[in-house]
Amino acid sequence: MIRIIHYDYNLNSFIYLNYMELIKNYILTLSSSLFIIPGTYVLIYKKSIFSIITYSVSIASINYWLDPSNQHKLFYDKLTSYTACFLYIVNSLYYMPTIKLKIITIMSVFLYYVFYRLSCHLYRNNNPNWLYAHFFFHLLVNLSKWLLYLNL
């Protein structure tokens, strides 16, 4: 087993990290960085403020997953994510041209909330599949951003 020394600012000491734990963090860091793609699209082609929201969520999420033991980073990650989710719902109801698309966007929020809660439940129960549920949650958020941004 490969172990890596890491300084934990919350504990104010060095800890040893398992190599596999780092791989999990990097997978979620990668999926968080995918939010940058729709953010760049909406900035370049729609010239919209949504890019700032999307970049903020991506940066906060990447920052957290690079050091998931830091509770302050978790607070900012959740704060930006919850704010962006609220704005996504409000703007989807406003910008989506048809009732069918409005329903699809609200269902996507419900679906990614289910996967978020599933990943939390699996994590609390030490089930290694929490990583896949959270990764899928990130992908669903990314797809929902595309759904809104393509209809602005």
Side-chain angles (χ1 to χ4, degrees):
M1 174 187 304
I2 299 173
R3 297 186 144 230
I4 298 169
I5 298 176
H6 172 73
Y7 187 76
D8 188 330
Y9 292 98
N10 291 332
L11 299 174
N12 201 20
S13 65
F14 287 97
I15 59 172
Y16 291 97
L17 292 177
N18 183 328
Y19 178 72
M20 290 309 294
E21 289 300 315
L22 284 177
I23 294 298
K24 290 177 186 175
N25 294 348
Y26 290 138
I27 288 171
L28 293 173
T29 302
L30 173 67
S31 64
S32 297
S33 67
L34 292 176
F35 302 150
I36 293 172
I37 299 169
T40 303
Y41 167 82
V42 79
L43 174 67
I44 293 171
Y45 294 105
K46 304 292 183 165
K47 301 193 183 354
S48 172
I49 196 163
F50 288 112
S51 61
I52 295 171
I53 297 164
T54 303
Y55 288 150
S56 298
V57 169
S58 189
I59 290 167
S61 186
I62 290 168
N63 190 35
Y64 172 69
W65 285 113
L66 288 174
D67 182 15
S69 63
N70 189 322
Q71 294 303 306
H72 297 294
K73 291 180 178 184
L74 176 61
F75 171 77
Y76 290 115
D77 181 26
K78 286 186 174 183
L79 179 67
T80 57
S81 297
Y82 293 158
T83 303
C85 183
F86 172 76
L87 293 172
Y88 174 79
I89 292 169
V90 169
N91 287 293
S92 292
L93 293 173
Y94 180 76
Y95 285 108
M96 287 299 162
T98 65
I99 295 295
K100 182 179 178 182
L101 282 174
K102 291 176 196 270
I103 292 171
I104 290 171
T105 56
I106 298 305
M107 291 301 293
S108 72
V109 171
F110 176 75
L111 190 58
Y112 68 67
Y113 176 75
V114 167
F115 274 91
Y116 171 73
R117 297 303 301 162
L118 175 64
S119 71
C120 293
H121 174 74
L122 293 173
Y123 182 80
R124 279 192 305 274
N125 291 306
N126 293 321
N127 185 327
N129 291 327
W130 74 268
L131 174 69
Y132 304 112
H134 204 82
F135 182 81
F136 196 66
F137 155 69
H138 282 179
L139 291 180
L140 286 171
V141 170
N142 198 24
L143 290 173
S144 68
K145 288 179 182 301
W146 278 112
L147 188 60
L148 173 62
Y149 296 166
L150 290 171
N151 285 287
L152 288 178

